[in-house]
Amino acid sequence: MDILNQLKSKFSEYVIETHSQCGDATLVIKKEGVIPLFSYLKTSPELDFNFLMDLTAVDYLGREGSRFEVVYHLYSLSKNHCLRVKVDVGEEDSSLDSVSSLWPAANWYEREVWDMFGIKFKGHPDLKRILMYEEFQGHPLRKDYPVNRRQPLVKPVPMN
Amino acid sequence: MQTQEKEKQTETRHMLLNVGPSHPAMHGVIRFIFELDGETIVSADTEIGYLHRGFEKMCEVGPYNQAIPYTDRLNYVSPLINNFAYCLAVEKLMGLKVTERCQYIRVIMSEISRVTDHLTCIGATAMELGAFTAFLYMMKAREFLYELVEQVTGARLTVSYGRVGGVKADLPEGFADQTRQVLKEVRKVLKEVDKLLSRNRIFVDRVKGVGVISKEDAIAYGITGPFLRSTGVNYDVRKAQPYLIYDRLKFEIPLGTNGDNLDRYYVRMEEMEQSMIMIEQALDQIPPGVVRIHEQGEPMVAAQMVDEAKMGRIAGIAQRNVLLDPTLQGSTKGFHEKVNVEDKKTVLPPKEATYGNIEGLMNHFKWVMFGHGIRPPKGEVYFPVEGANGELGFYIVSDGTERPYRVRVRPPCFPIMAAIGKVLEGGMMADVVPTFGSVNMIAGELDR
């Protein structure tokens, strides 16, 4: 892929690897490169990624290296091309820079990632839970959160 | 002098108004907190999550095909599109391509779903603005389409019709003629509704120039679908990244200019017409399916077939036609040859084989037993389709086992709801209802 090679040479200090499995161009970067890379992707006229289609995370519990991956799916309306960018985020310092200043769409997506995975976004205007309630303990989509653990807000009342 | 004193005495404050989570004008469970200056909205806060069921977590627990019933419950107004989007994502991961007939079936059913979705959206919006007749007319049209869906899938709402590598059952006999008849009826209804609403002073006054979003804002918020197209941005996944057989169909993308509620209404109305044109084209082009021939004698009841096989009387059993449970009628051998992919690891074997010979039985068990089933190779995939509300994408990560490692769905409502506060700000309190109606928020896919 042209885009991948171009980005790889331009941001060689941040890029960890690239692949295009199943035809999806993918770039894996270090989290220090979030702001420089994404501002370039958005503003560069030949790439012009004006859509942040999706932002999510994956918990690779127990793998070597960093535990989380934050996954961005970008789309360019004018060039009609897509790019997936994955950012490695470790467990100890699970925080990275927010891209909500570049794409307002990231605001809610980042809140969801914080809610579900406990990954913090620095510079986010209002990072709070979105799908779960404030009293909820833990982050449900982490692999070490048991699937059948319940945290009801209202406790069952005995009938008598 | 007097008035100045009076102004000093009367202090004006903004009022906080809570709407929802269970409110007659809210289509689903969602909560708005408005800061009002008189009747003008100063700021709006949106709270979602009241219908969160942990879809993504549940998908990680079961095998790949068991996620399909969950996808029905995402956008429950057009569940077929969700089914196929998920299947297409898994198929892309596995490098599978389904048969021609199956692709056509998927397109036809998706477009039927899109029409039902838009009918519901416009009908509900019109009802909230007082046009109850339009709502009932549209529900009537939706009912015709639901009957078609019921005939094909066996269910109206929770269809679970898609399968990785195919669909659950072939189209029933006489489906094409019946669909053409139904489309005629739907067109009649749409014409009536168009007459009732499009030049109706009350309706137009309530929606024109209300809920305006600019092109730039819509793109920045990642909004897709009719909401984006009403601002004039030409983005439709069916045209931009064609999947299935959309590149063989001739259709147009209706675009608005102002990005207000009226444009969204027009875009949806026109999209329904385009969907119906697509269905008609697909029905003309679809390769023939199975013609049931009863030359192998009377069909045999499945339970009897099992009994015969247990007693060792298997001569000729695999060639007999099997009489199946009504929900499995499509799962016969002929259907498999025509519709499903030829990969024993991916799809269930035909029922004649399951009941009639040991290979089929083993194949069946290797597919349904715990710890078995389809195993896509290690990797990740993102597959977008055009849902009724916008781009519906599935991001699936596989670790090579029989369960998905991570399933993420990009719900089309989510970015729209993120932007709705901005759209509502500066408007009147009464305009919340038409604007919110034009979003067509489906809590099932918003909260997952």
Side-chain angles (χ1 to χ4, degrees), chain B residues 183-229:
Chain B
L183 293 187
K184 216 180 272 174
E185 295 288 326
V186 174
R187 282 206 173 99
K188 220 191 269 173
V189 170
L190 286 182
K191 213 170 169 187
E192 280 175 334
V193 172
D194 184 53
K195 275 184 188 161
L196 279 171
L197 293 180
S198 299
R199 277 166 297 282
N200 180 331
R201 181 74 192 274
I202 305 170
F203 181 76
V204 173
D205 279 359
R206 286 294 301 272
V207 292
K208 198 176 180 182
V210 171
V212 183
I213 188 163
S214 71
K215 223 181 248 188
E216 294 72 30
D217 277 346
I219 291 173
Y221 274 97
I223 292 172
T224 47
F227 211 91
L228 175 72
R229 291 194 285 273

Side-chain angles (χ1 to χ4, degrees), chain B residues 216-428:
Chain B
E216 294 72 30
D217 277 346
I219 291 173
Y221 274 97
I223 292 172
T224 47
F227 211 91
L228 175 72
R229 291 194 285 273
S230 74
T231 63
V233 179
N234 190 352
Y235 175 64
D236 188 313
V237 187
R238 292 172 292 177
K239 284 271 190 205
Q241 301 148 38
Y243 53 98
L244 293 173
I245 46 107
Y246 278 111
D247 47 350
R248 296 183 209 166
L249 304 177
K250 281 196 191 84
F251 63 101
E252 290 185 0
I253 310 287
L255 296 176
T257 42
N258 305 322
D260 61 353
N261 291 335
L262 188 64
D263 277 16
R264 290 195 271 278
Y265 160 75
Y266 281 139
V267 166
R268 282 212 167 86
M269 284 296 263
E270 186 51 35
E271 262 185 31
M272 281 193 271
E273 180 55 36
Q274 294 299 328
S275 287
M276 288 193 277
I277 292 172
M278 267 186 256
I279 296 170
E280 282 166 346
Q281 288 178 38
L283 286 173
D284 291 339
Q285 295 176 10
I286 189 167
V290 194
V291 182
R292 258 166 233 200
I293 317 162
H294 296 287
E295 57 186 21
Q296 292 105 344
E298 281 295 295
M300 197 181 209
V301 181
Q304 194 193 343
M305 213 178 220
V306 177
D307 289 345
E308 296 276 313
K310 274 183 189 161
M311 286 184 277
R313 292 199 285 264
I314 52 164
I317 221 172
Q319 278 74 46
R320 293 283 297 269
N321 270 337
V322 65
L323 195 66
L324 290 163
D325 190 71
T327 56
L328 291 171
Q329 266 165 5
S331 310
T332 51
K333 205 186 216 156
F335 153 73
H336 265 262
E337 284 158 7
K338 290 280 183 185
V339 177
N340 280 353
V341 291
E342 267 182 67
D343 183 3
K344 284 189 173 170
K345 281 180 185 163
T346 312
V347 289
L348 270 174
K351 286 290 172 270
E352 287 94 330
T354 311
Y355 295 131
N357 60 50
I358 186 67
E359 288 81 12
L361 191 67
M362 279 162 74
N363 188 355
H364 180 91
F365 274 108
K366 287 294 273 183
W367 201 85
V368 297
M369 270 194 310
F370 180 75
H372 292 253
I374 56 169
R375 284 162 188 267
K378 233 176 180 175
E380 57 192 332
V381 76
Y382 178 75
F383 196 92
V385 303
E386 182 70 24
N389 281 335
E391 174 167 327
L392 172 76
F394 275 93
Y395 173 63
I396 297 177
V397 180
S398 159
D399 58 349
T401 62
E402 79 283 1
R403 295 170 192 186
Y405 190 76
R406 170 105 170 89
V407 176
R408 151 83 182 166
V409 51
R410 178 210 189 267
C413 279
F414 195 80
I416 307 180
M417 289 314 292
I420 192 82
K422 201 175 152 67
V423 176
L424 292 172
E425 270 166 31
M428 304 293 278

Side-chain angles (χ1 to χ4, degrees), chain A residues 20-21 35 38 42 46 51 53 78 81-82 112 130 135 144:
Chain A
S20 44
Q21 205 176 47
I35 289 296
F38 282 111
K42 170 132 197 258
E46 62 264 30
F51 266 102
M53 271 301 173
S78 54
H81 57 198
C82 310
E112 192 184 331
I130 184 164
E135 295 86 350
D144 50 9

Side-chain angles (χ1 to χ4, degrees), chain A residues 59-122:
Chain A
D59 178 9
Y60 294 101
L61 181 66
R63 78 161 178 185
E64 278 175 44
S66 50
R67 176 174 171 184
F68 298 104
E69 240 170 29
V70 179
V71 187
Y72 301 76
H73 284 100
L74 305 176
Y75 175 74
S76 162
L77 193 66
S78 54
K79 308 280 182 238
N80 193 19
H81 57 198
C82 310
L83 179 69
R84 178 191 299 142
V85 181
K86 304 202 288 180
V87 183
D88 270 359
V89 179
E91 194 179 358
E92 304 77 41
D93 178 25
S94 57
S95 64
L96 71 161
D97 289 317
S98 166
V99 293
S100 53
S101 52
L102 294 168
W103 295 280
N107 186 326
W108 273 30
Y109 287 137
E110 284 174 354
R111 274 175 68 187
E112 192 184 331
V113 170
W114 154 249
D115 191 359
M116 293 292 151
F117 292 92
I119 297 169
K120 283 202 182 84
F121 290 88
K122 284 178 276 186

Side-chain angles (χ1 to χ4, degrees), chain A residues 126-142:
Chain A
D126 184 19
L127 196 66
K128 59 180 183 190
R129 286 187 185 274
I130 184 164
L131 293 177
M132 309 309 291
Y133 38 89
E134 282 304 320
E135 295 86 350
F136 192 84
Q137 302 279 320
H139 301 282
L141 275 183
R142 284 190 174 197

